[in-house]
Every structure is written in C-alpha cells, then in structure tokens.
Amino acid sequence: MIDKFGRNITYLRLSVTELCNLRCRYCMPADGVCKKSHTEMLTEDEMIDVVKAAASLGITKVRITGGEPLVKKNIVSICERTANVDGIEEVCLTTNAVLLPQYAKPLRDAGVNRLNISLDTLNPEKYAYITRTGVLEDAMQGIQAALDAGFEKVKINAVLIGGFNEDEISSLAELTMQYPIDVRFIEMMPMYDSGDFDETGLVPCAKVLEVLPELQIVNASDGVAELYRLPNALGNVGLIRPISAHFCGTCNRIRVTADGKLKPCLHASTEYALKGLSFDDMKTVMAEAIYHKPQWHGELDTIHRSRAGRNMNEIGG
Ligand code: SAM
Ligand code: SF4
C-alpha cells in the first residue's frame, strides 16, 4: 500500500515479546521490563491475524523481533504460521543469538529465511558490560549454530557506541573476512529512558570509513544499509545511519508491538491499537495508519531524544 508521501509500505516488523534474556544498556533499563499482564499482549492467533491483515495490504516481508524473540515459548510456531501466510515472501528474525544453538535448526525448518544477530563487541568483559548479563561465548556459539543450520546471508548488527566499541570497528569488520556474513554498524538512537550515554556515545557511521579507508563501495541494495566490502572479504560491511543521514524518504516499514500497537514511525508517539479488533477492523485501522505514516522522524540527538515513548525492547528496533 502507498502512503500519502508516495512510499510503498511492504515491510512489517512484528515484536512478539518485550522480555529479554539480556539487558543491553542502550535498549532497556537495568531492572528489565515491568511485565505487562498476559491479557494485554497479542496472542499467537492475533499475531497471525496481524500478518494476514498486513499481507492483504501489500506487506511481503515480516521481521520477527522483540525483546528477544527466542525467549517466547511458541516462537517456532509463530514463525512457521507467518511464513505460510499468503503474500508473505520473506520471514526474517532478529536475535541476540544466545538461544540459537537450540533454535537455529527449528527456525530454518519453520521457514525463516534470514537471521540478523546483534553483537556489539568481541571482548568478553565488554560484552558482559554492555549486555549487563550476557556471556560472549553464548552469542558466538549462536552465530556458529546459525551458519551450521544453513542460514545464508547472516547479518551481524553492531550498535556503534562512542567510548565503547569505536576501537573494535576493524575487528568487527574483520569477521567478514572469516565468515560469509555481513557486519552492519548502526548509529545508536537515543531512546526514551534507556541508555546512560551522553553525546560522546553518538558516533556517526562516517567513523567506520575513517578507520577503514580500504572499504570499497558495493552497488547493491540492502534496505537501509549502505554497503561496502573489504578487499577479498566473504561478506559486506553495512552502515545504517538513522541519525546522520535519516532514510525516512524511502522508509517502507511499519511496526507492531507485542502489546498490539501499530507504530507507523519508530520515533513517533502515534500508535494505533489493534488488539481485540475484528479482522476487518484491523485491516481498516492498519490502512489508515499506513496512509498517515509520518514524513520523517524529526531531529534525533541527546537533546531531541526519540518521541517513541517506549524503549527499544518494547518496539523491536
Ligand atoms: N533482542 C534482539 C536483538 O537484540 O537482536 C531483537 C530486538 S533488539 C530491540 C533489535 C535491534 O535493535 C538490535 O539490533 C539492537 O542492537 C537494536 N537497538 C536496540 N536499542 C538501540 C538503540 N538505542 N540504538 C540503535 N539500535 C538499537
Ligand atoms: Fe535484549 Fe535485544 Fe534489547 Fe539487547 S538489544 S536488551 S538483546 S532486546
């Protein structure tokens, strides 16, 4: 479906839970989330209705996200049913990888086409610091499990954080020399009340090009990422710049939160409630939300923080 600014909306990010087995500092508060009551959250059937309604309006790609989608007990069934919805051509999932040794194969068998894995550092102490509770080795085993299960085009997403992992740009990019994976650097977005980072934490992706002048431009499309490649690498290095070069003009996505709110823009407070609606009403509300998708997300910096009104684990990234 085309919105009022002429953008073709084809991509749904569906968050299946706000809960997570990690506590990344830029994403959620240290004490986790105030667990909402079960009745406030979308059921599996409602999630599938959301996907069906979205597909009937022209959505062809769904990304399952969270919180951490793999802490959801029925995640394999959600993925399988999503992949079987008429009109859905691609199902992707974003994960911190910790539970992938258990889930990589079942997810692939369920029809998940691609995995994105979040990993901000290769240093065990720094990993424990940034995730507050995580063990680097668990994530590394998860990445290996994804490759072993036969997933192609695995993407590692690293949030670029000044004073934390700027010194690891080379070593993270080097992963593309060892493995057939893409490594994408993402500018950190200042969310609602998460993140004890000041402006020094917000590093533009231009820093990656400064550190790695040997990167060569790749003329291929990867959604919001600009693609580069190290000489003789097996995968690409991507730059995602929501702050220094927002991509709102070509944004093709909508988001649905685990509590059933459709967010036409990640950083806007506008939400459309879907839970409890009949299928036809869901479609009508969705069409209205898509048509009125905001033109852009407005200024984003440490003064103009996101207007999303939620932390990232409550939206899905
Ligand atoms: N738990 C899964 C994971 O970490 O991949 C999926 C949910 S997580 C909210 C989705 C993505 O959002 C991750 O790649 C994470 O790094 C990113 N993210 C979270 N907070 C962010 C922030 N403040 N700025 C930029 N990216 C952020
Ligand atoms: Fe959890 Fe993902 Fe947020 Fe980290 S980025 S706290 S893994 S939801």
Side-chain angles (χ1 to χ4, degrees):
M1 187 184 149
I2 311 284
D3 76 0
K4 72 174 169 197
F5 298 104
R7 295 169 297 194
N8 190 13
I9 309 305
T10 56
Y11 176 10
L12 164 68
R13 294 181 69 101
L14 176 65
S15 173
V16 297
T17 180
E18 296 181 359
L19 303 179
C20 188
N21 45 0
L22 301 181
R23 297 279 182 276
C24 301
R25 288 171 187 268
Y26 47 76
C27 179
M28 64 193 288
D31 52 359
V33 274
C34 154
K35 200 174 170 188
K36 292 178 181 149
S37 94
H38 221 57
T39 53
E40 287 174 74
M41 312 310 275
L42 290 180
T43 63
E44 178 176 329
D45 285 348
E46 286 171 330
M47 286 178 199
I48 302 307
D49 277 350
V50 165
V51 175
K52 285 180 179 162
S56 75
L57 294 170
I59 296 289
T60 56
K61 169 176 172 179
V62 178
R63 175 171 301 284
I64 307 288
T65 179
E68 173 50 41
L70 302 189
V71 302
K72 187 92 179 157
K73 293 279 179 289
N74 49 346
I75 188 63
V76 175
S77 171
I78 293 170
C79 290
E80 185 163 27
R81 291 177 67 189
T82 298
N84 284 327
V85 170
D86 279 349
I88 298 303
E89 296 164 6
E90 197 177 3
V91 179
C92 308
L93 182 139
T94 299
T95 172
N96 59 33
V98 168
L99 295 174
L100 275 180
Q102 178 188 343
Y103 280 114
K105 182 82 173 58
L107 289 173
R108 185 139 171 80
D109 293 345
V112 173
N113 302 100
R114 288 199 287 108
L115 293 179
N116 283 11
I117 294 175
S118 303
L119 182 73
D120 306 320
T121 174
L122 296 169
N123 174 306
E125 285 79 38
K126 284 165 75 175
Y127 186 84
Y129 170 79
I130 201 72
T131 62
R132 291 196 184 100
T133 57
V135 176
L136 178 64
E137 186 51 26
D138 294 344
M140 298 310 286
Q141 284 179 11
I143 294 172
Q144 191 57 55
L147 296 172
D148 292 347
F151 279 103
E152 290 172 6
K153 297 187 181 154
V154 170
K155 293 176 187 167
I156 305 285
N157 289 335
V159 179
L160 196 52
I161 307 165
F164 175 72
N165 61 2
E166 275 167 297
D167 59 335
E168 290 191 80
I169 289 173
S170 292
S171 43
L172 285 163
E174 277 283 315
L175 291 173
T176 66
M177 304 295 292
Q178 298 164 30
Y179 302 100
I181 57 175
D182 284 7
V183 172
R184 303 170 343 145
F185 293 95
I186 305 177
E187 290 173 350
M188 184 168 62
M189 294 175 262
M191 297 308 290
Y192 178 55
D193 70 355
S194 66
D196 37 7
F197 300 99
D198 60 18
E199 61 278 4
T200 58
L202 303 189
V203 175
C205 273
K207 182 79 187 174
V208 176
L209 300 175
E210 212 178 288
V211 172
L212 295 170
E214 64 272 41
L215 281 174
Q216 297 156 353
I217 291 185
V218 173
N219 284 318
S221 146
D222 178 30
V224 295
E226 296 160 30
L227 293 183
Y228 298 83
R229 207 170 176 96
L230 289 169
N232 304 316
L234 303 172
N236 296 319
V237 172
L239 305 185
I240 302 179
R241 316 186 192 223
I243 308 280
S244 65
H246 70 83
F247 29 78
C248 306
T250 55
C251 183
N252 64 348
R253 31 182 96 176
I254 53 169
R255 295 171 167 81
V256 172
T257 63
D259 59 349
K261 304 294 188 320
L262 190 162
K263 287 184 84 66
C265 171
L266 167 57
H267 295 297
S269 59
T270 313
E271 297 182 347
Y272 296 77
L274 300 180
K275 188 166 171 71
L277 298 184
S278 69
F279 183 74
D280 285 345
D281 286 349
M282 200 181 264
K283 243 179 93 171
T284 305
V285 170
M286 221 177 239
E288 159 112 1
I290 291 176
Y291 185 72
H292 291 291
K293 181 174 162 68
Q295 190 167 18
W296 81 297
H297 58 46
E299 296 295 338
L300 272 183
D301 50 43
T302 44
I303 297 158
H304 307 92
R305 296 178 81 85
S306 171
R307 268 80 55 201
R310 292 169 176 254
N311 287 318
M312 210 61 113
N313 70 296
E314 298 165 304
I315 305 173

